Amino acid sequence: MNAAQAEPARSPFRLNGRQLVPILILPILLVNAISFLWPTFSLLRMSLNEPVAGGAIRETLTLQTYIDVMTDGFYLELVWNSIYLCSIITIVTLILSYPIALFIHRADPKWRSILTLMVISPLLVSAVVRTYGWVIILGDQGLINAFLMSTGLVERPARLIFNNFGVVVGLIEILMPYMILSLMAGFGRLDPRLEEAAQSLGAKRFTTLRRVTIPLTAPGIALGCLLVFVLSISSFVTPKLLGGGRVFLLATEIYDQSIVLLNWPLAASLSMLVLVIFGAALVVYSRIVKALD
Amino acid sequence: MLATSPVATQAPGAEEGDAHLLLDHLQKSFGDFQAVEDLNVSVRRGELIALLGPSGCGKTTTLRMIAGLSSATSGRILVDGREIQSLPAHDRDMGLVFQSYALFPHMSVERNVAFGLEMRGIARDQLKARVAKALELVQLGHLAQRRPRELSGGQQQRVALARALVIEPSILLLDEPLSNLDAKLRDQMRVEIRDIQQRLGITSVFVTHDQVEALSMCDRIAVMDKGRLAQIGTPQDIYERPATPFVAEFVGRINKLPGQMRDNSTITVAERTFKTTRNVGESGDVTMMIRPHRIEMVKRGTPSDGRNVAHGTIARATYVGDILEYSVELTDGVTLAVETATGGHSRTFSHGDEVELRWSPDDTIVFGAQA
Amino acid sequence: MEQKNSIPFTIVVGLLFIFLLAPVLLVFPMSFSGDSFMSFPPSSWSLRWYEALPQNRVLINALWTSLGLASVVTILSLVIAIPAAYAIARMDFFGREALFALFTAPLLLPSIVLGLAILIVFVGVGLISTFPGLVLAHLVVTLPYALRVLATALSTLPHQVEEAASSLGATPFTVFRRVTLPLMTPGIVAAAALAFLVSFDEVVISLFVVGPRITTLPVELYRYVDTRADPLVAAASVFLILGTVAVVLIVERTMGLNKAVGKS
């Protein structure tokens, strides 16, 4: 090699200049720290404090609120009621969504995009508005009761909201688009020729569905169920409005404890419980996906 | 310092002071993978040089290092004796033509071509004149207002060329510019690019995996194999005097027969002996190579004239337009490919014909046998 | 050949679609009710609820707050997420994937949990019932969406077009301004629309941050439905739905237009 050459001047701008990275991500990091990381840690910390009468909080490190939740019959029932209702919601949502997803998958391309738009559009409408729509349908003087009364089937309006039924129906409808979209994503691997092959081998339509279609679309089913379960257990607006204070679920209880009763340590512990249920659902989901592979 | 590679057959005088572009011990590794290893190439002013090799040989990586889109792990890149390897791409003054053309989809043809001049702060009227001239050069003046997506592949390619040339770069870099075009257009663009390059006298580096492109367009060819320079030389050098078995096989078709050297000029293949004048110190197990079109095929019994002779039967004859490809089975099962020109006075043979093959010891290439 | 949908199957799916869309569609006839309380079908028709809507100071004030809030949140989301998306999609640095996971993690938390967590911190620093507090709370959910959309848009952008620009003498900043940014317009429009709609519709987190001094439209609508049962909300909902349709159409147009003039 020659004698050392003079190093040419470096331009102030270098593509892939790594020194730029901190500047580029600093703003988002700040927002994330202020409105996500710090609050999340504070929430965890809050769940270890002790509530004192009248909304005051004593800073300490105790598992007392967790123990209260685990031993108090009311909260145990609340947890089981939440899991039970959300499981029902998940299963019924799947049953009602599957035909729509299958139909869209089989429709010709022009209809497919129109129908997909129809599935997505409710997602763009506020949950408050959609829940209000269910009050119009299920309310004491709503559409269903008007129909039932006019046919003489009932004399007084049937109770369709402010109970579990109303909450379940409302949440199913509100969460259906998520299920349908997950199923459609899973249907991507469904080759129509496989269904035809099954039928050419003599399988009846229902047998084809049970033995070929559903197993092949199982990953989409698993994803949709995870999504709907997780979203239903954390949903607040619909259970609150359609439950009318008579349906007790984890999310509504977190709100009541934190805003109405000002028992933040308890609300924080219940929040942690929701996250634990989330984690459990994720574990079950990944087990199922692994088993399917 | 001389930029010589181990097997280079460089013309004398390709020294640092003389070279327009010089790659000096250029090296690029991605983790453990050596993409380019100790590459030394010197490009003369006004020369069109090809970097030829199969995919993954490091030729595109080399081009990207010259353009400044990828940084060299070690080594130097010099233009007119000035080191540029630490300059960013936008300060290198290279015209770059991509395989995918990489035109700006949101700008008209005119704006695409003007972009580089705008970056150089060229005044409006002068800019307009230069853009018009560049578009005229590639015969696209009438399409100046079109968007790239409204153009055919060949037209897009010309816009990319005009865009790279209008800035009057010191060096033009072309990365497989013809591989997205159909065969006929490719032939046409080959001539056109070579013509423009010679008219402008611009030093150019042309990356390709297509040996026909490299042989027909370029002043010199640098053949790369697994990140290393296998051979550099004129198309004739590369084709007639391949430096390695890899070059012999990659550039053009070639017959390959295993044999042993008897003495410095005699090879035994199975039971036969052949003469060669092309042995450079090999002994023992060797590979003998002959280009199919250097083999003459005659009817058996024609008197020999000191050339190598082998007897065989036509196993297959394939007509491919301007040439006939034969597969000739020698008596002991060895097969040789032979090509003859169609038409004219060369006679044609058909399946089952017994023939005699002859070729000159000068065309009998010998390499040491590989493990 | 595709398997055809049979007629009985089509009918079943039609009924399911009615179930899916009924709540949204019924809001329209409900808004023209002449009754003073919610009853369906209404006993008479009128425009009285549309006339009552502008008289409701609380809802109107909340509407202006929500529009201002969604606009500020949208602009900030873009300003913050575009550089971050560029770093994450285009640069190679240690911890890149971990940071991306961290920045999108707020989407994994239920709003009710996130809302409570934000309440606990914001009370201490005086951000409750303030505009900046609402902006920060909304950003935490809009940024992950914006970041994802923009990072996807950037990573599908052909790299070579940018390299071509830089080989023509453009500095990295010029490449970004003249090539990258124009080419990612569809992604920016989509991210902006998403951020605007998410912020404008956000209820649960807002419920924890609003207060006597400031409140948002979804929160006020929620409270209205929670305490009263008259068709006023139906009239408001009609405007909300039409507004959403307008945003979606703008996005469609912009993207469609962009496809027509730009991307091949």
Side-chain angles (χ1 to χ4, degrees):
Chain A
M1 291 293 294
N2 277 6
Q5 305 261 331
E7 176 81 353
R10 271 180 176 258
S11 158
F13 292 105
R14 293 271 304 181
L15 211 61
N16 276 341
R18 282 185 200 176
Q19 54 270 57
L20 266 177
V21 170
I23 301 168
L24 295 178
I25 64 171
L26 187 66
I28 198 170
L29 198 59
L30 273 178
V31 175
N32 191 277
I34 295 173
S35 326
F36 175 68
L37 280 182
W38 186 20
T40 310
F41 283 114
S42 302
L43 185 73
L44 179 63
R45 178 69 191 81
M46 179 58 74
S47 72
L48 302 172
N49 284 337
E50 209 176 341
V52 190
I57 291 149
R58 201 162 65 81
E59 290 249 352
T60 174
L61 273 176
T62 171
L63 290 171
Q64 195 53 51
T65 51
Y66 287 98
I67 294 165
D68 288 349
V69 169
M70 293 305 181
T71 50
D72 189 319
F74 173 77
Y75 292 113
L76 281 181
E77 208 189 311
L78 180 80
V79 172
W80 285 121
N81 194 34
S82 296
I83 294 177
Y84 171 70
L85 279 187
C86 292
S87 304
I88 289 179
I89 288 164
T90 305
I91 291 164
V92 180
T93 306
L94 172 64
I95 293 169
L96 297 185
S97 302
Y98 200 91
I100 294 186
L102 194 60
F103 187 89
I104 294 177
H105 179 74
R106 289 177 181 172
D108 56 67
K110 193 188 79 186
W111 274 101
R112 196 178 300 165
S113 51
I114 293 173
L115 294 174
T116 308
L117 196 68
M118 279 166 69
V119 169
I120 294 172
S121 55
L123 283 180
L124 297 172
V125 178
S126 155
V128 177
V129 173
R130 291 170 74 194
T131 304
Y132 180 77
W134 278 110
V135 179
I136 298 175
I137 297 170
L138 299 176
D140 285 0
Q141 298 178 45
L143 182 68
I144 303 276
N145 270 317
F147 174 75
L148 290 177
M149 307 260 282
S150 72
T151 55
L153 278 171
V154 293
E155 276 167 29
R156 265 180 295 152
R159 252 300 116 118
L160 300 175
I161 51 170
F162 303 149
N163 56 19
N164 282 351
F165 177 80
V167 172
V168 168
V169 170
L171 276 179
I172 286 170
E173 188 269 336
I174 281 179
L175 299 175
M176 266 174 77
Y178 296 99
M179 180 67 89
I180 296 170
L181 293 175
S182 305
L183 291 176
M184 282 168 61
F187 283 4
R189 17 186 289 172
L190 178 62
D191 186 339
R193 275 167 301 187
L194 286 175
E195 289 185 308
E196 283 170 7
Q199 285 180 2
S200 74
L201 293 171
K204 294 217 170 57
R205 275 200 166 229
F206 186 72
T207 315
T208 311
L209 188 71
R210 194 169 54 83
R211 298 281 300 276
V212 179
T213 314
I214 291 180
L216 274 172
T217 57
I221 295 174
L223 177 66
C225 287
L226 171 77
L227 214 56
V228 167
F229 182 81
V230 159
L231 288 171
S232 62
I233 211 146
S234 58
S235 68
F236 166 72
V237 171
T238 308
K240 186 78 179 164
L241 293 179
L242 290 179
R246 291 184 188 84
V247 177
F248 295 97
L249 292 176
L250 268 169
T252 55
E253 189 62 20
I254 291 172
Y255 182 79
D256 287 344
Q257 287 295 341
S258 51
I259 298 289
V260 184
L261 302 168
L262 297 180
N263 188 343
W264 288 2
L266 184 64
S269 314
L270 290 174
S271 299
M272 291 298 149
L273 201 58
V274 170
L275 296 186
V276 168
I277 295 173
F278 262 47
L282 258 176
V283 168
V284 171
Y285 168 76
S286 55
R287 284 271 169 85
I288 289 174
V289 168
K290 216 172 253 173
L292 286 173
D293 257 356
Chain B
M1 194 204 80
L2 269 162
T4 48
S5 58
V7 288
T9 53
Q10 275 184 354
E15 289 165 18
E16 185 169 331
D18 212 40
H20 189 190
L21 171 69
L22 186 79
L23 309 182
D24 176 28
H25 293 92
L26 203 58
Q27 201 108 8
K28 176 73 183 180
S29 41
F30 299 102
D32 288 340
F33 176 68
Q34 285 283 342
V36 175
E37 244 180 303
D38 196 35
L39 187 68
N40 297 287
V41 175
S42 153
V43 186
R44 283 176 228 125
R45 189 171 303 280
E47 183 178 42
L48 175 57
I49 194 165
L51 292 181
L52 174 68
S55 61
C57 73
K59 58 190 191 298
T60 294
T61 307
T62 304
L63 193 83
R64 290 176 61 83
M65 284 192 282
I66 301 172
L69 299 174
S70 178
S71 55
T73 308
S74 65
R76 301 186 302 155
I77 302 167
L78 296 99
V79 174
D80 285 326
R82 195 171 70 99
E83 283 194 33
I84 61 158
Q85 72 268 14
S86 43
L87 285 181
H90 59 89
D91 284 341
R92 288 206 184 183
D93 196 26
M94 306 265 175
L96 186 51
V97 177
F98 288 89
Q99 179 174 9
S100 62
Y101 320 138
L103 298 177
F104 307 127
H106 58 304
M107 299 181 194
S108 66
V109 165
E110 193 175 37
R111 305 268 303 160
N112 261 280
V113 178
F115 188 88
L117 296 177
E118 283 174 39
M119 293 303 118
R120 282 160 178 75
I122 306 291
R124 252 186 79 86
D125 44 346
Q126 204 199 335
L127 180 142
K128 283 213 128 184
R130 279 173 72 176
V131 168
K133 212 177 112 196
L135 285 176
E136 240 18 86
L137 185 70
V138 294
Q139 300 153 37
L140 280 181
H142 58 296
L143 296 177
Q145 300 312 321
R146 295 275 184 91
R147 296 267 174 182
R149 58 173 189 87
E150 298 167 328
L151 304 181
S152 69
Q155 290 168 333
Q156 290 188 33
Q157 182 57 269
R158 289 203 184 99
V159 177
L161 194 60
R163 186 178 68 175
L165 288 172
V166 75
I167 59 174
E168 293 172 4
S170 62
I171 291 164
L172 179 65
L173 306 172
L174 304 124
D175 186 9
E176 306 245 8
L178 305 179
S179 59
N180 282 350
L181 302 176
D182 59 56
K184 200 158 185 188
L185 202 54
R186 205 178 314 162
D187 288 347
Q188 189 190 330
M189 284 302 290
R190 218 148 60 191
V191 176
E192 213 167 299
I193 290 180
R194 176 58 163 166
D195 183 52
I196 290 173
Q197 186 266 333
Q198 284 189 323
R199 249 194 295 161
L200 301 178
I202 185 169
T203 311
S204 307
V205 181
F206 185 103
V207 161
T208 180
H209 65 269
D210 182 337
Q211 35 124 350
V212 179
E213 252 167 54
L215 291 171
S216 63
M217 289 175 70
C218 300
D219 295 306
R220 283 193 304 150
I221 299 171
V223 185
M224 291 183 70
D225 175 26
K226 298 193 187 83
R228 290 178 159 277
L229 185 66
Q231 185 176 7
I232 185 165
T234 63
Q236 286 81 356
D237 282 340
I238 301 287
Y239 191 78
E240 306 280 348
R241 289 172 290 281
T244 68
F246 169 81
V247 175
E249 284 186 80
F250 188 75
V251 183
R253 303 209 312 149
I254 201 155
N255 286 297
K256 236 174 100 175
L257 300 175
Q260 284 86 38
M261 293 308 295
R262 278 281 155 265
D263 56 54
N264 199 36
S265 60
T266 316
I267 317 159
T268 343
V269 175
E271 304 287 270
R272 300 187 179 78
T273 56
F274 300 112
K275 288 284 181 191
T276 177
T277 58
R278 300 283 298 274
N279 185 23
V280 196
E282 294 292 344
S283 56
D285 288 343
V286 293
T287 305
M288 181 179 87
M289 295 190 180
I290 317 124
R291 299 272 181 214
H293 68 100
R294 289 299 164 88
I295 300 175
E296 196 194 345
M297 197 149 62
V298 291
K299 242 187 140 167
R300 247 183 226 188
T302 324
S304 171
D305 50 6
R307 293 191 289 170
N308 289 316
V309 174
H311 295 277
T313 317
I314 305 275
R316 197 181 49 206
T318 315
Y319 176 81
V320 279
D322 46 358
I323 55 166
L324 265 162
E325 289 177 2
Y326 296 100
S327 187
V328 181
E329 216 163 86
L330 305 191
T331 40
D332 45 9
V334 177
T335 305
L336 281 180
V338 180
E339 286 174 11
T340 60
T342 51
H345 45 264
S346 60
R347 62 161 298 180
T348 57
F349 296 87
S350 48
H351 179 81
D353 284 357
E354 305 216 320
V355 291
E356 188 172 293
L357 305 178
R358 296 170 180 194
W359 64 92
S360 159
D362 293 342
D363 291 325
T364 310
I365 303 166
V366 175
F367 292 111
Q370 290 140 305
Chain C
M1 270 308 293
E2 302 251 328
Q3 202 176 342
K4 280 279 159 271
N5 290 309
S6 67
I7 290 169
F9 186 51
T10 307
I11 292 169
V12 169
V13 170
L15 290 173
L16 289 171
F17 261 111
I18 290 174
F19 174 75
L20 182 63
L21 298 174
V24 175
L25 296 178
L26 282 178
V27 162
F28 287 84
M30 190 70 195
S31 69
F32 295 104
S33 168
D35 303 340
S36 55
F37 51 89
M38 257 170 92
S39 161
F40 201 92
S43 59
S44 64
W45 305 96
S46 80
L47 290 173
R48 60 183 283 198
W49 297 108
Y50 285 97
E51 285 154 13
L53 207 51
Q55 312 299 324
N56 191 316
R57 297 310 315 162
V58 176
L59 285 186
I60 294 301
N61 284 340
L63 169 68
W64 289 120
T65 307
S66 278
L67 283 176
L69 179 63
S71 306
V72 170
V73 166
T74 302
I75 291 165
L76 283 178
S77 296
L78 293 181
V79 169
I80 295 171
I82 289 174
Y86 189 84
I88 281 175
R90 279 299 158 86
M91 292 178 171
D92 192 25
F93 56 92
F94 179 75
R96 194 173 59 95
E97 271 155 42
L99 278 174
F100 185 67
L102 171 67
F103 296 150
T104 51
L107 287 186
L108 295 176
L109 276 198
S111 309
I112 189 91
V113 173
L114 202 52
L116 173 61
I118 287 174
L119 170 71
I120 290 170
V121 165
F122 280 17
V123 158
V125 292
L127 281 169
I128 294 298
S129 193
T130 66
F131 193 76
L134 278 170
V135 169
L136 275 173
H138 281 200
L139 278 177
V140 83
V141 276
T142 57
L143 280 176
Y145 285 116
L147 186 67
R148 272 201 185 169
V149 171
L150 293 169
T152 309
L154 267 170
S155 58
T156 54
L157 241 172
H159 215 103
Q160 294 196 323
V161 177
E162 287 166 305
E163 292 184 343
S166 96
S167 83
L168 289 168
T171 60
F173 182 71
T174 310
V175 173
F176 182 75
R177 193 171 55 81
R178 294 279 311 266
V179 178
T180 315
L181 212 51
L183 288 183
M184 64 186 289
T185 310
I188 293 175
V189 172
L194 202 56
F196 190 91
L197 289 179
V198 166
S199 167
F200 192 77
D201 279 347
E202 168 33 64
V203 201
V204 180
I205 296 175
S206 302
L207 271 170
F208 287 90
V209 185
V210 295
R213 277 173 293 163
I214 191 166
T215 183
T216 69
L217 186 63
V219 166
E220 282 316 305
L221 287 177
Y222 162 82
R223 287 182 175 156
Y224 199 99
V225 177
D226 199 23
T227 51
R228 275 187 275 179
D230 64 44
L232 183 70
V233 172
S237 300
V238 166
F239 283 110
L240 287 185
I241 293 167
L242 294 180
T244 307
V245 170
V247 171
V248 171
L249 280 181
I250 289 170
V251 173
E252 242 288 307
R253 274 293 153 85
T254 320
M255 308 268 256
L257 203 69
N258 208 285
K259 253 181 212 143
V261 298
K263 299 198 81 155
S264 47

